[in-house]
Amino acid sequence: MVRGSCLCGGIVFEVAEFTGPFELCHCSRCRKVTGSAYMAGVVAPRAGFQMVQGADLIVTYDAPLRDRSPPYRVCFCSRCGSPLPDPSGDSPWIEVPAGLLDESPGVLPDKHIFIEKKALWDRITDGLPQLDEAALRVYRAKAR
């Protein structure tokens, strides 16, 4: 089990296994949620996710739709503001902000996404694939 927690330690969760993808999202919403150049999100099967403590501290914010679905839901700790995975989602997968993990998830970042929306001051200097929205849609359609 890989343990994760928020900044204040009030919320603790465990994940049995991370499968990926492990994406670095540069969209404006992820940048605003993290206050950084991108959100590092790693995916795991929801069946292997469990809350250990602090579920009552989780608050959600559903941002209004922009151009089209899907909606953008943010979960965070009501005490310290750390972004959190959505424990109430109905998808068989759960995306975990990688910065919350206290141990390695066992997978590494595999791509940058929404690079056309990256911050003007951001420079991507690693060798990971860089996908804009159109390329990401094609990639995800092939992966299904």
Side-chain angles (χ1 to χ4, degrees):
M1 297 294 269
V2 176
R3 189 167 274 229
S5 59
C6 65
L7 178 63
C8 71
I11 298 170
V12 178
F13 58 88
E14 292 180 334
V15 181
E17 172 191 28
F18 287 94
T19 58
F22 189 161
E23 298 173 330
L24 307 177
C25 183
H26 294 264
C27 81
S28 63
R29 290 185 173 196
C30 284
R31 287 189 290 111
K32 290 187 181 292
V33 164
T34 62
S36 186
Y38 54 81
M39 166 78 84
V42 60
V43 173
R46 185 174 294 277
F49 175 85
Q50 64 181 11
M51 292 296 302
V52 174
Q53 70 180 39
D56 58 317
L57 295 174
I58 297 174
V59 176
T60 61
Y61 169 69
D62 290 308
L65 285 177
R66 287 196 173 163
D67 301 328
R68 61 187 171 276
S69 293
Y72 192 90
R73 169 171 276 185
V74 178
C75 295
F76 56 94
C77 175
S78 61
R79 285 199 292 207
C80 67
S82 293
L84 297 164
D86 183 1
S88 65
D90 57 2
S91 166
W93 305 99
I94 189 164
E95 184 174 18
V96 177
L100 300 175
L101 300 175
D102 300 325
E103 306 159 41
S104 171
V107 294
L108 296 173
D110 54 62
K111 65 186 154 308
H112 292 269
I113 62 172
F114 295 106
I115 59 150
E116 76 280 11
K117 297 178 181 182
K118 72 179 182 60
L120 296 175
W121 49 263
D122 185 19
R123 299 293 178 263
I124 300 172
T125 59
D126 60 37
L128 295 176
Q130 299 180 28
L131 305 178
D132 62 15
E133 185 174 3
L136 181 61
R137 287 184 187 280
V138 170
Y139 176 88
R140 287 184 174 164
K142 287 180 183 177
R144 288 188 202 126

mmCIF file with all atom_site columns, all heavy atoms in Angstrom, residues 115-134:
data_model
loop_
_atom_site.group_PDB
_atom_site.id
_atom_site.type_symbol
_atom_site.label_atom_id
_atom_site.label_alt_id
_atom_site.label_comp_id
_atom_site.label_asym_id
_atom_site.label_entity_id
_atom_site.label_seq_id
_atom_site.pdbx_PDB_ins_code
_atom_site.Cartn_x
_atom_site.Cartn_y
_atom_site.Cartn_z
_atom_site.occupancy
_atom_site.B_iso_or_equiv
_atom_site.pdbx_formal_charge
_atom_site.auth_seq_id
_atom_site.auth_comp_id
_atom_site.auth_asym_id
_atom_site.auth_atom_id
_atom_site.pdbx_PDB_model_num
ATOM 1   N N   . ILE A 1 115 ? -0.497  21.137 -23.314 1.00 0.00 ? 115 ILE A N   1
ATOM 2   C CA  . ILE A 1 115 ? 0.679   22.013 -23.338 1.00 0.00 ? 115 ILE A CA  1
ATOM 3   C C   . ILE A 1 115 ? 0.395   23.353 -24.019 1.00 0.00 ? 115 ILE A C   1
ATOM 4   O O   . ILE A 1 115 ? 1.100   24.326 -23.765 1.00 0.00 ? 115 ILE A O   1
ATOM 5   C CB  . ILE A 1 115 ? 1.897   21.328 -23.984 1.00 0.00 ? 115 ILE A CB  1
ATOM 6   C CG1 . ILE A 1 115 ? 1.581   20.905 -25.413 1.00 0.00 ? 115 ILE A CG1 1
ATOM 7   C CG2 . ILE A 1 115 ? 2.348   20.144 -23.148 1.00 0.00 ? 115 ILE A CG2 1
ATOM 8   C CD1 . ILE A 1 115 ? 2.795   20.910 -26.287 1.00 0.00 ? 115 ILE A CD1 1
ATOM 9   N N   . GLU A 1 116 ? -0.646  23.423 -24.832 1.00 0.00 ? 116 GLU A N   1
ATOM 10  C CA  . GLU A 1 116 ? -0.979  24.694 -25.473 1.00 0.00 ? 116 GLU A CA  1
ATOM 11  C C   . GLU A 1 116 ? -1.504  25.712 -24.450 1.00 0.00 ? 116 GLU A C   1
ATOM 12  O O   . GLU A 1 116 ? -1.577  26.897 -24.732 1.00 0.00 ? 116 GLU A O   1
ATOM 13  C CB  . GLU A 1 116 ? -1.989  24.488 -26.611 1.00 0.00 ? 116 GLU A CB  1
ATOM 14  C CG  . GLU A 1 116 ? -3.427  24.252 -26.172 1.00 0.00 ? 116 GLU A CG  1
ATOM 15  C CD  . GLU A 1 116 ? -3.739  22.819 -25.727 1.00 0.00 ? 116 GLU A CD  1
ATOM 16  O OE1 . GLU A 1 116 ? -2.818  22.001 -25.556 1.00 0.00 ? 116 GLU A OE1 1
ATOM 17  O OE2 . GLU A 1 116 ? -4.931  22.531 -25.556 1.00 0.00 ? 116 GLU A OE2 1
ATOM 18  N N   . LYS A 1 117 ? -1.828  25.224 -23.253 1.00 0.00 ? 117 LYS A N   1
ATOM 19  C CA  . LYS A 1 117 ? -2.358  26.098 -22.209 1.00 0.00 ? 117 LYS A CA  1
ATOM 20  C C   . LYS A 1 117 ? -1.349  26.332 -21.083 1.00 0.00 ? 117 LYS A C   1
ATOM 21  O O   . LYS A 1 117 ? -1.689  26.915 -20.068 1.00 0.00 ? 117 LYS A O   1
ATOM 22  C CB  . LYS A 1 117 ? -3.638  25.490 -21.640 1.00 0.00 ? 117 LYS A CB  1
ATOM 23  C CG  . LYS A 1 117 ? -4.723  25.391 -22.700 1.00 0.00 ? 117 LYS A CG  1
ATOM 24  C CD  . LYS A 1 117 ? -5.976  24.764 -22.182 1.00 0.00 ? 117 LYS A CD  1
ATOM 25  C CE  . LYS A 1 117 ? -6.988  24.681 -23.332 1.00 0.00 ? 117 LYS A CE  1
ATOM 26  N NZ  . LYS A 1 117 ? -8.244  24.147 -22.946 1.00 0.00 ? 117 LYS A NZ  1
ATOM 27  N N   . LYS A 1 118 ? -0.121  25.913 -21.292 1.00 0.00 ? 118 LYS A N   1
ATOM 28  C CA  . LYS A 1 118 ? 0.872   26.054 -20.225 1.00 0.00 ? 118 LYS A CA  1
ATOM 29  C C   . LYS A 1 118 ? 1.149   27.523 -19.935 1.00 0.00 ? 118 LYS A C   1
ATOM 30  O O   . LYS A 1 118 ? 0.916   28.399 -20.777 1.00 0.00 ? 118 LYS A O   1
ATOM 31  C CB  . LYS A 1 118 ? 2.158   25.301 -20.558 1.00 0.00 ? 118 LYS A CB  1
ATOM 32  C CG  . LYS A 1 118 ? 3.024   25.892 -21.628 1.00 0.00 ? 118 LYS A CG  1
ATOM 33  C CD  . LYS A 1 118 ? 4.278   25.037 -21.821 1.00 0.00 ? 118 LYS A CD  1
ATOM 34  C CE  . LYS A 1 118 ? 5.209   25.597 -22.839 1.00 0.00 ? 118 LYS A CE  1
ATOM 35  N NZ  . LYS A 1 118 ? 5.707   26.920 -22.547 1.00 0.00 ? 118 LYS A NZ  1
ATOM 36  N N   . ALA A 1 119 ? 1.632   27.767 -18.730 1.00 0.00 ? 119 ALA A N   1
ATOM 37  C CA  . ALA A 1 119 ? 1.961   29.128 -18.322 1.00 0.00 ? 119 ALA A CA  1
ATOM 38  C C   . ALA A 1 119 ? 3.021   29.708 -19.248 1.00 0.00 ? 119 ALA A C   1
ATOM 39  O O   . ALA A 1 119 ? 3.930   28.999 -19.697 1.00 0.00 ? 119 ALA A O   1
ATOM 40  C CB  . ALA A 1 119 ? 2.473   29.126 -16.881 1.00 0.00 ? 119 ALA A CB  1
ATOM 41  N N   . LEU A 1 120 ? 2.917   30.995 -19.534 1.00 0.00 ? 120 LEU A N   1
ATOM 42  C CA  . LEU A 1 120 ? 3.860   31.643 -20.450 1.00 0.00 ? 120 LEU A CA  1
ATOM 43  C C   . LEU A 1 120 ? 5.301   31.569 -19.949 1.00 0.00 ? 120 LEU A C   1
ATOM 44  O O   . LEU A 1 120 ? 6.236   31.554 -20.741 1.00 0.00 ? 120 LEU A O   1
ATOM 45  C CB  . LEU A 1 120 ? 3.446   33.098 -20.676 1.00 0.00 ? 120 LEU A CB  1
ATOM 46  C CG  . LEU A 1 120 ? 2.101   33.283 -21.361 1.00 0.00 ? 120 LEU A CG  1
ATOM 47  C CD1 . LEU A 1 120 ? 1.735   34.761 -21.418 1.00 0.00 ? 120 LEU A CD1 1
ATOM 48  C CD2 . LEU A 1 120 ? 2.100   32.658 -22.740 1.00 0.00 ? 120 LEU A CD2 1
ATOM 49  N N   . TRP A 1 121 ? 5.493   31.502 -18.654 1.00 0.00 ? 121 TRP A N   1
ATOM 50  C CA  . TRP A 1 121 ? 6.834   31.454 -18.072 1.00 0.00 ? 121 TRP A CA  1
ATOM 51  C C   . TRP A 1 121 ? 7.383   30.038 -17.958 1.00 0.00 ? 121 TRP A C   1
ATOM 52  O O   . TRP A 1 121 ? 8.546   29.848 -17.616 1.00 0.00 ? 121 TRP A O   1
ATOM 53  C CB  . TRP A 1 121 ? 6.839   32.113 -16.691 1.00 0.00 ? 121 TRP A CB  1
ATOM 54  C CG  . TRP A 1 121 ? 5.735   31.625 -15.791 1.00 0.00 ? 121 TRP A CG  1
ATOM 55  C CD1 . TRP A 1 121 ? 4.528   32.232 -15.580 1.00 0.00 ? 121 TRP A CD1 1
ATOM 56  C CD2 . TRP A 1 121 ? 5.722   30.439 -15.002 1.00 0.00 ? 121 TRP A CD2 1
ATOM 57  N NE1 . TRP A 1 121 ? 3.768   31.497 -14.702 1.00 0.00 ? 121 TRP A NE1 1
ATOM 58  C CE2 . TRP A 1 121 ? 4.483   30.384 -14.331 1.00 0.00 ? 121 TRP A CE2 1
ATOM 59  C CE3 . TRP A 1 121 ? 6.631   29.402 -14.782 1.00 0.00 ? 121 TRP A CE3 1
ATOM 60  C CZ2 . TRP A 1 121 ? 4.129   29.343 -13.474 1.00 0.00 ? 121 TRP A CZ2 1
ATOM 61  C CZ3 . TRP A 1 121 ? 6.281   28.369 -13.928 1.00 0.00 ? 121 TRP A CZ3 1
ATOM 62  C CH2 . TRP A 1 121 ? 5.040   28.358 -13.285 1.00 0.00 ? 121 TRP A CH2 1
ATOM 63  N N   . ASP A 1 122 ? 6.549   29.039 -18.225 1.00 0.00 ? 122 ASP A N   1
ATOM 64  C CA  . ASP A 1 122 ? 6.940   27.639 -18.053 1.00 0.00 ? 122 ASP A CA  1
ATOM 65  C C   . ASP A 1 122 ? 7.766   27.151 -19.239 1.00 0.00 ? 122 ASP A C   1
ATOM 66  O O   . ASP A 1 122 ? 7.450   27.440 -20.390 1.00 0.00 ? 122 ASP A O   1
ATOM 67  C CB  . ASP A 1 122 ? 5.679   26.779 -17.911 1.00 0.00 ? 122 ASP A CB  1
ATOM 68  C CG  . ASP A 1 122 ? 5.971   25.323 -17.608 1.00 0.00 ? 122 ASP A CG  1
ATOM 69  O OD1 . ASP A 1 122 ? 7.084   25.002 -17.159 1.00 0.00 ? 122 ASP A OD1 1
ATOM 70  O OD2 . ASP A 1 122 ? 5.055   24.495 -17.806 1.00 0.00 ? 122 ASP A OD2 1
ATOM 71  N N   . ARG A 1 123 ? 8.809   26.404 -18.946 1.00 0.00 ? 123 ARG A N   1
ATOM 72  C CA  . ARG A 1 123 ? 9.630   25.757 -19.973 1.00 0.00 ? 123 ARG A CA  1
ATOM 73  C C   . ARG A 1 123 ? 9.672   24.271 -19.674 1.00 0.00 ? 123 ARG A C   1
ATOM 74  O O   . ARG A 1 123 ? 10.082  23.868 -18.575 1.00 0.00 ? 123 ARG A O   1
ATOM 75  C CB  . ARG A 1 123 ? 11.060  26.311 -19.972 1.00 0.00 ? 123 ARG A CB  1
ATOM 76  C CG  . ARG A 1 123 ? 11.162  27.794 -20.262 1.00 0.00 ? 123 ARG A CG  1
ATOM 77  C CD  . ARG A 1 123 ? 10.737  28.102 -21.704 1.00 0.00 ? 123 ARG A CD  1
ATOM 78  N NE  . ARG A 1 123 ? 10.783  29.521 -21.990 1.00 0.00 ? 123 ARG A NE  1
ATOM 79  C CZ  . ARG A 1 123 ? 9.737   30.334 -21.940 1.00 0.00 ? 123 ARG A CZ  1
ATOM 80  N NH1 . ARG A 1 123 ? 8.563   29.889 -21.612 1.00 0.00 ? 123 ARG A NH1 1
ATOM 81  N NH2 . ARG A 1 123 ? 9.857   31.610 -22.217 1.00 0.00 ? 123 ARG A NH2 1
ATOM 82  N N   . ILE A 1 124 ? 9.240   23.461 -20.621 1.00 0.00 ? 124 ILE A N   1
ATOM 83  C CA  . ILE A 1 124 ? 9.294   22.010 -20.461 1.00 0.00 ? 124 ILE A CA  1
ATOM 84  C C   . ILE A 1 124 ? 10.651  21.561 -20.997 1.00 0.00 ? 124 ILE A C   1
ATOM 85  O O   . ILE A 1 124 ? 10.934  21.721 -22.180 1.00 0.00 ? 124 ILE A O   1
ATOM 86  C CB  . ILE A 1 124 ? 8.140   21.317 -21.215 1.00 0.00 ? 124 ILE A CB  1
ATOM 87  C CG1 . ILE A 1 124 ? 6.795   21.815 -20.678 1.00 0.00 ? 124 ILE A CG1 1
ATOM 88  C CG2 . ILE A 1 124 ? 8.258   19.803 -21.097 1.00 0.00 ? 124 ILE A CG2 1
ATOM 89  C CD1 . ILE A 1 124 ? 5.587   21.348 -21.464 1.00 0.00 ? 124 ILE A CD1 1
ATOM 90  N N   . THR A 1 125 ? 11.467  21.013 -20.117 1.00 0.00 ? 125 THR A N   1
ATOM 91  C CA  . THR A 1 125 ? 12.836  20.684 -20.518 1.00 0.00 ? 125 THR A CA  1
ATOM 92  C C   . THR A 1 125 ? 13.150  19.198 -20.445 1.00 0.00 ? 125 THR A C   1
ATOM 93  O O   . THR A 1 125 ? 14.267  18.802 -20.745 1.00 0.00 ? 125 THR A O   1
ATOM 94  C CB  . THR A 1 125 ? 13.846  21.454 -19.639 1.00 0.00 ? 125 THR A CB  1
ATOM 95  O OG1 . THR A 1 125 ? 13.635  21.106 -18.274 1.00 0.00 ? 125 THR A OG1 1
ATOM 96  C CG2 . THR A 1 125 ? 13.686  22.963 -19.823 1.00 0.00 ? 125 THR A CG2 1
ATOM 97  N N   . ASP A 1 126 ? 12.161  18.380 -20.046 1.00 0.00 ? 126 ASP A N   1
ATOM 98  C CA  . ASP A 1 126 ? 12.435  16.936 -20.008 1.00 0.00 ? 126 ASP A CA  1
ATOM 99  C C   . ASP A 1 126 ? 12.107  16.320 -21.370 1.00 0.00 ? 126 ASP A C   1
ATOM 100 O O   . ASP A 1 126 ? 11.650  17.002 -22.282 1.00 0.00 ? 126 ASP A O   1
ATOM 101 C CB  . ASP A 1 126 ? 11.651  16.266 -18.878 1.00 0.00 ? 126 ASP A CB  1
ATOM 102 C CG  . ASP A 1 126 ? 10.143  16.433 -19.019 1.00 0.00 ? 126 ASP A CG  1
ATOM 103 O OD1 . ASP A 1 126 ? 9.621   16.404 -20.146 1.00 0.00 ? 126 ASP A OD1 1
ATOM 104 O OD2 . ASP A 1 126 ? 9.472   16.619 -17.987 1.00 0.00 ? 126 ASP A OD2 1
ATOM 105 N N   . GLY A 1 127 ? 12.298  15.050 -21.509 1.00 0.00 ? 127 GLY A N   1
ATOM 106 C CA  . GLY A 1 127 ? 12.071  14.374 -22.783 1.00 0.00 ? 127 GLY A CA  1
ATOM 107 C C   . GLY A 1 127 ? 10.719  13.704 -22.909 1.00 0.00 ? 127 GLY A C   1
ATOM 108 O O   . GLY A 1 127 ? 10.501  12.932 -23.853 1.00 0.00 ? 127 GLY A O   1
ATOM 109 N N   . LEU A 1 128 ? 9.793   13.981 -21.995 1.00 0.00 ? 128 LEU A N   1
ATOM 110 C CA  . LEU A 1 128 ? 8.478   13.343 -22.058 1.00 0.00 ? 128 LEU A CA  1
ATOM 111 C C   . LEU A 1 128 ? 7.670   13.857 -23.243 1.00 0.00 ? 128 LEU A C   1
ATOM 112 O O   . LEU A 1 128 ? 7.829   15.016 -23.646 1.00 0.00 ? 128 LEU A O   1
ATOM 113 C CB  . LEU A 1 128 ? 7.696   13.615 -20.767 1.00 0.00 ? 128 LEU A CB  1
ATOM 114 C CG  . LEU A 1 128 ? 8.260   13.013 -19.489 1.00 0.00 ? 128 LEU A CG  1
ATOM 115 C CD1 . LEU A 1 128 ? 7.426   13.460 -18.290 1.00 0.00 ? 128 LEU A CD1 1
ATOM 116 C CD2 . LEU A 1 128 ? 8.313   11.506 -19.569 1.00 0.00 ? 128 LEU A CD2 1
ATOM 117 N N   . PRO A 1 129 ? 6.772   13.025 -23.781 1.00 0.00 ? 129 PRO A N   1
ATOM 118 C CA  . PRO A 1 129 ? 5.893   13.491 -24.856 1.00 0.00 ? 129 PRO A CA  1
ATOM 119 C C   . PRO A 1 129 ? 5.071   14.693 -24.393 1.00 0.00 ? 129 PRO A C   1
ATOM 120 O O   . PRO A 1 129 ? 4.689   14.781 -23.219 1.00 0.00 ? 129 PRO A O   1
ATOM 121 C CB  . PRO A 1 129 ? 4.980   12.293 -25.129 1.00 0.00 ? 129 PRO A CB  1
ATOM 122 C CG  . PRO A 1 129 ? 5.742   11.108 -24.638 1.00 0.00 ? 129 PRO A CG  1
ATOM 123 C CD  . PRO A 1 129 ? 6.558   11.600 -23.476 1.00 0.00 ? 129 PRO A CD  1
ATOM 124 N N   . GLN A 1 130 ? 4.815   15.608 -25.337 1.00 0.00 ? 130 GLN A N   1
ATOM 125 C CA  . GLN A 1 130 ? 4.039   16.810 -25.060 1.00 0.00 ? 130 GLN A CA  1
ATOM 126 C C   . GLN A 1 130 ? 2.810   16.811 -25.963 1.00 0.00 ? 130 GLN A C   1
ATOM 127 O O   . GLN A 1 130 ? 2.946   16.917 -27.181 1.00 0.00 ? 130 GLN A O   1
ATOM 128 C CB  . GLN A 1 130 ? 4.885   18.056 -25.315 1.00 0.00 ? 130 GLN A CB  1
ATOM 129 C CG  . GLN A 1 130 ? 6.111   18.132 -24.432 1.00 0.00 ? 130 GLN A CG  1
ATOM 130 C CD  . GLN A 1 130 ? 6.935   19.374 -24.710 1.00 0.00 ? 130 GLN A CD  1
ATOM 131 O OE1 . GLN A 1 130 ? 6.408   20.403 -25.135 1.00 0.00 ? 130 GLN A OE1 1
ATOM 132 N NE2 . GLN A 1 130 ? 8.235   19.282 -24.466 1.00 0.00 ? 130 GLN A NE2 1
ATOM 133 N N   . LEU A 1 131 ? 1.630   16.672 -25.342 1.00 0.00 ? 131 LEU A N   1
ATOM 134 C CA  . LEU A 1 131 ? 0.398   16.566 -26.113 1.00 0.00 ? 131 LEU A CA  1
ATOM 135 C C   . LEU A 1 131 ? -0.489  17.787 -25.892 1.00 0.00 ? 131 LEU A C   1
ATOM 136 O O   . LEU A 1 131 ? -0.767  18.161 -24.750 1.00 0.00 ? 131 LEU A O   1
ATOM 137 C CB  . LEU A 1 131 ? -0.382  15.313 -25.701 1.00 0.00 ? 131 LEU A CB  1
ATOM 138 C CG  . LEU A 1 131 ? 0.369   13.975 -25.771 1.00 0.00 ? 131 LEU A CG  1
ATOM 139 C CD1 . LEU A 1 131 ? -0.525  12.847 -25.296 1.00 0.00 ? 131 LEU A CD1 1
ATOM 140 C CD2 . LEU A 1 131 ? 0.874   13.716 -27.170 1.00 0.00 ? 131 LEU A CD2 1
ATOM 141 N N   . ASP A 1 132 ? -0.948  18.371 -27.007 1.00 0.00 ? 132 ASP A N   1
ATOM 142 C CA  . ASP A 1 132 ? -1.962  19.405 -26.887 1.00 0.00 ? 132 ASP A CA  1
ATOM 143 C C   . ASP A 1 132 ? -3.320  18.705 -26.803 1.00 0.00 ? 132 ASP A C   1
ATOM 144 O O   . ASP A 1 132 ? -3.401  17.473 -26.831 1.00 0.00 ? 132 ASP A O   1
ATOM 145 C CB  . ASP A 1 132 ? -1.886  20.415 -28.032 1.00 0.00 ? 132 ASP A CB  1
ATOM 146 C CG  . ASP A 1 132 ? -2.130  19.801 -29.403 1.00 0.00 ? 132 ASP A CG  1
ATOM 147 O OD1 . ASP A 1 132 ? -2.629  18.652 -29.505 1.00 0.00 ? 132 ASP A OD1 1
ATOM 148 O OD2 . ASP A 1 132 ? -1.838  20.484 -30.392 1.00 0.00 ? 132 ASP A OD2 1
ATOM 149 N N   . GLU A 1 133 ? -4.399  19.465 -26.685 1.00 0.00 ? 133 GLU A N   1
ATOM 150 C CA  . GLU A 1 133 ? -5.713  18.863 -26.492 1.00 0.00 ? 133 GLU A CA  1
ATOM 151 C C   . GLU A 1 133 ? -6.102  17.925 -27.628 1.00 0.00 ? 133 GLU A C   1
ATOM 152 O O   . GLU A 1 133 ? -6.605  16.818 -27.386 1.00 0.00 ? 133 GLU A O   1
ATOM 153 C CB  . GLU A 1 133 ? -6.781  19.948 -26.325 1.00 0.00 ? 133 GLU A CB  1
ATOM 154 C CG  . GLU A 1 133 ? -8.144  19.385 -26.012 1.00 0.00 ? 133 GLU A CG  1
ATOM 155 C CD  . GLU A 1 133 ? -9.184  20.444 -25.708 1.00 0.00 ? 133 GLU A CD  1
ATOM 156 O OE1 . GLU A 1 133 ? -8.881  21.653 -25.794 1.00 0.00 ? 133 GLU A OE1 1
ATOM 157 O OE2 . GLU A 1 133 ? -10.325 20.054 -25.370 1.00 0.00 ? 133 GLU A OE2 1
ATOM 158 N N   . ALA A 1 134 ? -5.859  18.319 -28.854 1.00 0.00 ? 134 ALA A N   1
ATOM 159 C CA  . ALA A 1 134 ? -6.223  17.472 -29.998 1.00 0.00 ? 134 ALA A CA  1
ATOM 160 C C   . ALA A 1 134 ? -5.437  16.162 -29.982 1.00 0.00 ? 134 ALA A C   1
ATOM 161 O O   . ALA A 1 134 ? -6.006  15.081 -30.173 1.00 0.00 ? 134 ALA A O   1
ATOM 162 C CB  . ALA A 1 134 ? -5.979  18.223 -31.304 1.00 0.00 ? 134 ALA A CB  1
#
